[in-house]
Amino acid sequence: MLGVLSMRSNHTGFQGSVKTSASDFIVTEIDTFGRLLSESIAETLSVLGDMPAASNSCCPQSPCKPWPEPPELRRKEVLAPFDSPSRAPEEGLLPAKGSTEHLAGAAPKGGRHEADFNGQQNVAIIVRFREKSWSRKRPAADCQEKQDVYTGFTLRKENLETLEAISYLSSELGVLPSDFSYTGIKDKKAITYQAMVVKKVTPERLKEIESTIEKKGMKVYNIHSVCQHLRLGQLKGNHFDIIVRDLKHQSNDSSADLKERISEAIENVKTKGFVNYYGPQRFGQGQNVQTDQIGLALLNEEMVKAVKLFFTPEDTDDPVNRAKRYFLQSDDAKGTLAMLPEFKVREKMLLRALNRYGLNHEGCTRGWLSIPHSMRIFYVHAYCSKIWNEATSFRFKTYGSKVVEGDLVLSEDNVDENSSLNDRVRVVTASEESANKYAIHQVVLPMVGHSIKYPNNKVEQWYQERLAKDGLQTCRFRVSALQLNTPGCYRHILKYIHNLSYHFLENNEKGIKTEEDSHLNEAKASLLLSFDLDPSCYATVCLREIMNCDL
């Protein structure tokens, strides 16, 4: 994993095989009311916006569960205006200065405070995005007046990236990928359930393609009309059901009891949390060119280089990679267009622009502008995520788990409704360090951008030197030619796991629990883990910490 070096815990851990098949890694979104989103939940998406939940929207098999409060800093609702939903920051991130209107205190006018299921105030941050042109209170007939058609549904996909699935769907429905909205990107090698909304498509039209998309590893459920699109981060988290197979000791730990080692590791991470790194799927794990490299080229305004990186093929002989290979060898955009399958919508959009405007700086700039903004910014965010991972590793290597002078923490002290987020992100003083005023789970690090502040210690110098290494020492994180604007944000360096349960299985005896056994048969044993994570947290990162080995 890029930049991933540190561990929160020092337990011995164990080894095993993760994602042996897609069915070993099941991801289910948890909606804003704390309900699992799957095909068995009727009308789950009826809670979009401020609409009330349907009384029958929670199935008997999946009763509503309270979302436990993580042992983190108490936070209030943040209401953030963005030019468009695609310009909103990634889910789970805290926007930097210039991205907030109202902060702690009374709920902003037209907004709301969430409450948990036991009546206490929910302290998890709720980020609500809206276009600048929206009013705070949308009239009930607003969507009819605008004559927009929105259809909400639950997407089940298997062995597909979220953006790849959207490309398939847009191709079949005859709309653009930008007409789809979702709350977050999901794993590729997995079975995932996530909420989606498509614009300009009726429920009846979506139902017509059900049999076609099933051949591509997708199914759609709970299809119904809604009034608006989804926003990144419009979820409470994700639920994971993961099987780790081929369990065995670490190479230097053969004398220990395996079951004991596994239980120790799980309890350790449950108590201490895990380093909140971005996971490998953020960067295109296993690809010859990873997404952060394209993002760096875009930030440096090396448009031709970014196009070449985008079309770098993998080491396989399939139609898509043959077409990419041909393009790099010939620069023939028109010929490559004819070779690409229809579902490769992004590639075709870019190639059409290149065919029209040429493979020079101007032509490549127009090519990048031809694909949706959310896809362009995705690559820039990948680069920023890589830098964040490396900065977090440096921070733990330099200062460990102690909160030190110069660290950044998210504070509730002296906060009023006119405060910006940068006013809440404060620098730890020497006296506060001596008094142990803050805990490590309150520490945040910035995702690089033009409106963030850096820690006032060795970490700041590290950021400056690292960006200079990539030629970004004077970068303002605005690429006007591509309409890219990256203000930056803050991310907690530590996160906690919720609702954790686990038990052991025998591989050759389906579903047979062996919890009562005193020892595990290493040749047969598997571990079933079920847990919830906050938005923008990666299960593969959490598993790495539990197992204490790279995945």
Side-chain angles (χ1 to χ4, degrees), residues 9 83 208 366 368:
S9 304
D83 293 337
E208 289 175 2
R366 287 176 175 265
W368 283 111

Side-chain angles (χ1 to χ4, degrees), residues 364-424:
C364 289
T365 300
R366 287 176 175 265
W368 283 111
L369 281 171
S370 70
I371 68 175
H373 178 274
S374 59
M375 294 181 179
R376 297 196 301 275
I377 200 68
F378 172 79
Y379 295 107
V380 173
H381 284 169
Y383 173 77
C384 297
S385 301
K386 174 188 174 182
I387 298 301
W388 191 93
N389 275 4
E390 293 179 7
T392 299
S393 292
F394 177 82
R395 165 48 185 88
F396 273 105
K397 180 181 178 181
T398 305
Y399 298 117
S401 296
K402 179 178 173 57
V403 180
V404 301
E405 181 181 2
D407 272 337
L408 299 181
V409 293
L410 199 64
S411 174
E412 290 290 324
D413 297 340
N414 302 317
V415 171
D416 59 50
E417 62 182 34
N418 296 317
S419 299
S420 71
L421 188 66
N422 268 354
D423 293 330
R424 290 177 56 198

Side-chain angles (χ1 to χ4, degrees), residues 406-408 427 444-446 453-457 459-461 463:
D407 272 337
L408 299 181
V427 180
V444 296
L445 280 179
K453 57 179 155 184
Y454 291 101
N456 190 17
N457 51 31
V459 180
E460 178 179 21
Q461 182 181 353
Y463 269 104

Side-chain angles (χ1 to χ4, degrees), residues 86-88 90-91 161-163 182 184-186 232 279-285 287 290-296 298 310 346 368 371-386 447 484 486 538:
S86 64
R87 296 172 192 241
E90 184 186 357
E91 71 278 9
E161 295 175 348
T162 300
L163 297 180
Y182 46 88
I185 300 291
K186 297 292 182 281
L232 286 173
Q281 58 268 45
R282 180 74 165 174
F283 310 106
Q285 184 182 33
Q287 296 177 0
Q290 298 191 316
T291 53
D292 63 283
Q293 296 171 264
I294 299 173
L296 174 58
L298 293 176
F310 181 80
R346 281 176 294 172
W368 283 111
I371 68 175
H373 178 274
S374 59
M375 294 181 179
R376 297 196 301 275
I377 200 68
F378 172 79
Y379 295 107
V380 173
H381 284 169
Y383 173 77
C384 297
S385 301
K386 174 188 174 182
M447 284 270 283
L484 297 179
T486 310
Y538 290 77

Side-chain angles (χ1 to χ4, degrees), residues 9 28 33 36 79 135 160 175 202 206 298 358 381 387 411 538-539:
S9 304
T28 310
F33 286 78
L36 292 179
L79 189 62
S135 63
L160 277 177
V175 297
T202 64
L206 183 58
L298 293 176
H381 284 169
I387 298 301
S411 174
Y538 290 77

Side-chain angles (χ1 to χ4, degrees), residues 208-478:
E208 289 175 2
I209 68 166
E210 285 182 297
S211 59
T212 304
I213 64 173
E214 191 168 345
K215 300 172 186 175
K216 301 293 186 181
M218 291 180 285
K219 293 183 180 180
V220 288
Y221 306 95
N222 308 327
I223 303 171
H224 64 289
S225 295
V226 294
C227 228
Q228 58 182 329
H229 52 71
L230 279 167
R231 301 176 292 277
L232 286 173
Q234 193 179 344
L235 74 167
K236 209 148 205 175
N238 291 287
H239 175 78
F240 297 88
D241 294 295
I242 299 171
I243 296 178
V244 183
R245 300 190 184 276
D246 308 318
L247 299 173
K248 58 184 178 181
H249 296 90
Q250 299 283 24
S251 57
N252 59 350
D253 189 41
S254 58
S255 62
D257 178 74
L258 180 57
K259 183 178 180 182
E260 191 176 285
R261 280 290 185 238
I262 293 172
S263 298
E264 172 196 47
I266 293 172
E267 293 302 321
N268 235 338
V269 173
K270 181 179 178 181
T271 303
K272 296 181 179 180
F274 59 94
V275 183
N276 191 28
Y277 287 119
Y278 286 96
Q281 58 268 45
R282 180 74 165 174
F283 310 106
Q285 184 182 33
Q287 296 177 0
N288 289 336
V289 171
Q290 298 191 316
T291 53
D292 63 283
Q293 296 171 264
I294 299 173
L296 174 58
L298 293 176
L299 284 170
N300 278 319
E301 301 194 40
E302 298 173 323
M303 306 303 181
V304 177
K305 179 180 179 180
V307 166
K308 297 286 188 178
L309 290 170
F310 181 80
F311 281 104
T312 299
E314 301 304 315
D315 301 326
T316 55
D317 189 32
D318 57 84
V320 173
N321 285 297
R322 282 198 296 271
K324 288 182 175 181
R325 206 168 286 116
Y326 172 77
F327 176 74
L328 291 186
Q329 293 169 352
S330 66
D331 289 344
D332 179 10
K334 186 176 182 179
T336 308
L337 264 171
M339 296 174 67
L340 275 173
E342 283 301 317
F343 69 86
K344 284 297 178 181
V345 179
R346 281 176 294 172
E347 288 82 351
K348 282 181 169 288
M349 285 178 168
L350 209 160
L351 286 167
R352 288 189 187 102
L354 296 178
N355 182 50
R356 182 174 181 181
Y357 300 109
L359 194 59
N360 50 29
H361 180 86
E362 177 65 23
C364 289
T365 300
R366 287 176 175 265
W368 283 111
L369 281 171
S370 70
I371 68 175
H373 178 274
S374 59
M375 294 181 179
R376 297 196 301 275
I377 200 68
F378 172 79
Y379 295 107
V380 173
H381 284 169
Y383 173 77
C384 297
S385 301
K386 174 188 174 182
I387 298 301
W388 191 93
N389 275 4
E390 293 179 7
T392 299
S393 292
F394 177 82
R395 165 48 185 88
F396 273 105
K397 180 181 178 181
T398 305
Y399 298 117
S401 296
K402 179 178 173 57
V403 180
V404 301
E405 181 181 2
D407 272 337
L408 299 181
V409 293
L410 199 64
S411 174
E412 290 290 324
D413 297 340
N414 302 317
V415 171
D416 59 50
E417 62 182 34
N418 296 317
S419 299
S420 71
L421 188 66
N422 268 354
D423 293 330
R424 290 177 56 198
V425 175
R426 57 171 293 127
V427 180
V428 176
T429 64
S431 60
E432 288 171 337
E433 176 188 348
S434 300
N436 294 319
K437 181 175 180 179
Y438 299 104
I440 189 65
H441 63 258
Q442 293 172 278
V443 174
V444 296
L445 280 179
M447 284 270 283
V448 289
H450 59 71
S451 296
I452 51 91
K453 57 179 155 184
Y454 291 101
N456 190 17
N457 51 31
K458 292 179 181 179
V459 180
E460 178 179 21
Q461 182 181 353
W462 181 92
Y463 269 104
Q464 294 171 350
E465 293 175 352
R466 182 64 185 84
L467 292 176
K469 181 180 177 182
D470 285 337
L472 298 176
Q473 59 269 36
T474 60
C475 180
R476 295 182 57 81
F477 291 92
R478 289 185 174 99

